[in-house]
Amino acid sequence: MATRLARKLPSSFSAFSSSPITKLTSGISPPSMSHCGPGLRCASSSSSSSSSTTTTGSNSSSSKREKKITDRLSAVIDAVNDRKLPPELRGQRNKVRSETDIINVVEQRIWHSMEEGQFENLAGKGKPLNLNTNPHADPAEDTLYRILSKNGCAPEWVELNKEIRNKVSEWRVALKKAWTSKCNGNDEEKWIERCESLKKQLRDINDKVFRYNLIVPFGRQMFGLKWEKEVARLEE
C-alpha cells in the first residue's frame, strides 16, 4: 500500500507545479525601490527637477552678467578709439577701412590751411631750425646726447656703427684679394688658410653687429655678414 502511494506522489506534485496558481505567481517579481510607492517617487522627481532648475537659473544669471560686462567694455573701447579719429570721422568708425582714409582727411586739412594762409607769417619763418633739443626723445637721453655733442663725443652705438662699417669694407677687400689669387691659379692651401682667417674675422664682425643691435635705437639695426653670400657675390 505504501509502495503504491509513493509511486503516485510524483505525479501529484507535478500536477501541483503546473497548476494555474503556480503559473500566475511565477510572473510576479518582488517590489523594487524605484516603484516603492507614489509618495516616494514624487519626492525624488521633484527634488531632481528643483535642483536642475536652480542650476540653469544660476548659469543664465552668470552668463547675463558676463555679457553685460563685455558689452560695457566694448562700448568703452569703441569710445576711446573714436576719440582718436579726426573730428570729420568720429562716429563713422565703420567707414574707416584703413589708415589711408585718415591720411586723406589730414591732407585735406593741410590743403585747406594752406589755402587759407595759416602757414604764412609763422614765427621763425626763414630762420634755421633749432636742433639742439629733440622733442621726440626721452628728456634724460636728450640731455645726455647734448652733453656728448658739446664735448665732441658721440653715443656708443654711433661709434660702433663707424667701426663696423670700416671693418666690413676692409674685410671685403681682403676677401676679394684672396679670391683673385685663387682664380689666378695660386696654391689651394693658401686659399684655405686665408679662408680660415677671413671666417674668424667675419665672426668677430658679427659679434660687434650683435652688440650694436642691442644698444641701437629701434629701427636702425643692421644685418651681419654671411660667408656663402659674400663668396657668391664674388662669383658673379
Side-chain angles (χ1 to χ4, degrees):
M1 190 69 180
T3 306
R4 290 179 182 179
L5 289 172
R7 290 176 179 176
K8 290 181 180 181
L9 282 174
S11 62
S12 63
F13 281 132
S14 62
F16 177 75
S17 63
S18 60
S19 63
I21 298 173
T22 308
K23 291 180 179 180
L24 288 172
T25 57
S26 63
I28 299 173
S29 60
S32 62
M33 294 301 292
S34 61
H35 304 281
C36 59
L40 294 175
R41 188 175 181 183
C42 291
S44 61
S45 62
S46 62
S47 62
S48 62
S49 62
S50 63
S51 63
S52 61
T53 305
T54 306
T55 304
T56 54
S58 61
N59 290 336
S60 62
S61 62
S62 62
S63 62
K64 287 180 180 178
R65 283 198 303 269
E66 290 178 358
K67 186 177 183 301
K68 188 179 292 185
I69 293 171
T70 304
D71 293 340
R72 291 179 64 183
L73 287 175
S74 61
V76 171
I77 292 172
D78 292 340
V80 171
N81 291 331
D82 193 64
R83 291 291 297 173
K84 293 180 180 179
L85 296 174
E88 294 86 347
L89 297 176
R90 289 176 185 174
Q92 305 177 11
R93 292 183 63 250
N94 295 330
K95 296 182 180 179
V96 180
R97 299 180 180 179
S98 63
E99 292 183 0
T100 307
D101 298 333
I102 301 175
I103 293 172
N104 292 335
V105 172
V106 174
E107 289 181 351
Q108 289 176 3
R109 294 174 67 178
I110 291 173
W111 279 108
H112 288 315
S113 300
M114 291 175 64
E115 290 176 356
E116 293 175 358
Q118 296 182 8
F119 292 105
E120 299 294 333
N121 300 322
L122 294 176
K125 181 180 179 181
K127 298 180 181 179
L129 295 174
N130 184 10
L131 301 177
N132 293 329
T133 59
N134 185 3
H136 304 288
D138 182 73
E141 293 183 356
D142 188 42
T143 304
L144 179 62
Y145 291 156
R146 282 191 285 107
I147 294 172
L148 290 173
S149 62
K150 287 180 180 179
N151 291 277
C153 300
E156 181 182 1
W157 61 270
V158 175
E159 299 292 340
L160 192 57
N161 186 302
K162 294 179 181 179
E163 182 182 357
I164 291 171
R165 293 183 182 279
N166 292 332
K167 286 188 175 297
V168 167
S169 61
E170 293 174 359
W171 183 85
R172 283 176 174 167
V173 170
L175 176 63
K176 188 174 182 180
K177 288 181 179 179
W179 179 260
T180 303
S181 63
K182 178 200 172 187
C183 294
N184 291 333
N186 290 340
D187 193 1
E188 189 71 19
E189 294 181 357
K190 291 183 179 180
W191 164 248
I192 295 173
E193 291 178 0
R194 291 177 180 176
C195 285
E196 292 298 327
S197 176
L198 290 170
K199 287 180 180 179
K200 183 180 178 182
Q201 295 176 14
L202 182 141
R203 288 192 293 269
D204 294 338
I205 292 172
N206 286 337
D207 291 340
K208 292 182 182 296
V209 171
F210 180 77
R211 166 68 180 167
Y212 170 81
N213 290 335
L214 290 177
I215 62 176
V216 72
F218 180 76
R220 299 189 179 184
Q221 285 75 15
M222 65 171 58
F223 293 101
L225 297 177
K226 290 185 178 181
W227 176 261
E228 294 80 6
K229 187 175 180 180
E230 296 295 331
V231 173
R233 183 184 298 175
L234 293 174
E235 289 177 352
E236 294 176 356

